[in-house]
Amino acid sequence: MKVELSSEKVKSDFVKKVEELSGQNILSCYQCGKCSAGCPSSYAMDLLPSQVIRMVQLGLQDEIVNSKTVWLCASCLTCSVRCPRGVDIAAIFEALRLVVTRDKDKLNYVEPSEITAEQLEELPQIALISNFRKFTG
Ligand code: SF4
Ligand code: SF4
């Protein structure tokens, strides 16, 4: 994957928003890989959990949004428990899902009452859960 790095991306609103929503200091991660090694869903992911965390550090929003990883996460918390730096990776992944399911004006991007039966069969279950969670705080 070819990525473009810049100080603007590292200091972007995207990084600040993920830190704000998750309550985590993204720079605490030192890329040991223990989160990825213990993730039960990693076999199906196109980016490993530790790679997603690194991409958040670098402000690579487009690359993360276009990845399937946060939608395959089962929110099992194994990664968060294993992290030697105390990073709650699962909370960061939930923040990433919220960034996608909210638009910039904090209006609904996904309206639950408009989801069709066909879409329900295709949507990742975690996307629905994230969408409903945003109404609770
Ligand atoms: S376990 Fe923690 S420190 Fe290690 S790569 Fe994952 S988030 Fe980073
Ligand atoms: S919470 Fe998600 S990313 Fe973390 S170990 Fe579980 S499935 Fe993997």
Side-chain angles (χ1 to χ4, degrees):
M1 178 190 298
K2 184 178 176 184
V3 297
E4 288 185 20
L5 304 179
S6 68
S7 58
E8 286 78 20
K9 286 183 181 177
V10 172
K11 297 173 186 165
S12 66
D13 288 343
F14 164 69
V15 178
K16 292 178 191 151
K17 179 59 71 179
V18 172
E19 287 194 319
E20 178 190 340
L21 289 171
S22 67
Q24 302 301 300
N25 178 357
I26 201 73
L27 293 179
S28 293
C29 169
Y30 58 9
Q31 288 290 292
C32 69
K34 280 196 74 175
C35 51
S36 298
C39 175
S41 303
S42 63
Y43 71 93
M45 293 171 169
D46 51 357
L47 292 173
L48 295 172
S50 54
Q51 290 176 313
V52 172
I53 301 299
R54 184 65 178 140
M55 288 180 153
V56 177
Q57 290 175 333
L58 296 172
L60 300 176
Q61 179 173 5
D62 291 343
E63 287 79 359
I64 295 169
V65 166
N66 290 324
S67 160
K68 296 176 182 172
T69 290
V70 296
W71 309 109
L72 294 173
C73 166
S75 272
C76 70
L77 308 182
T78 303
C79 50
S80 302
V81 172
R82 286 170 62 92
C83 178
R85 295 284 290 157
V87 179
D88 189 345
I89 300 106
I92 293 172
F93 276 27
E94 177 62 13
L96 290 168
R97 289 188 287 267
L98 289 175
V99 166
V100 175
T101 55
R102 293 173 174 179
D103 71 11
K104 62 182 169 49
D105 298 318
K106 294 190 177 178
L107 300 174
N108 291 336
Y109 185 70
V110 179
E111 177 54 58
S113 61
E114 294 175 3
I115 299 173
T116 66
E118 292 76 21
Q119 288 171 326
L120 271 178
E121 289 184 8
E122 297 291 328
L123 275 171
Q125 296 292 303
I126 199 73
L128 295 173
I129 293 167
S130 294
N131 189 57
F132 298 143
R133 274 186 189 146
K134 72 183 170 31
F135 294 113
T136 61

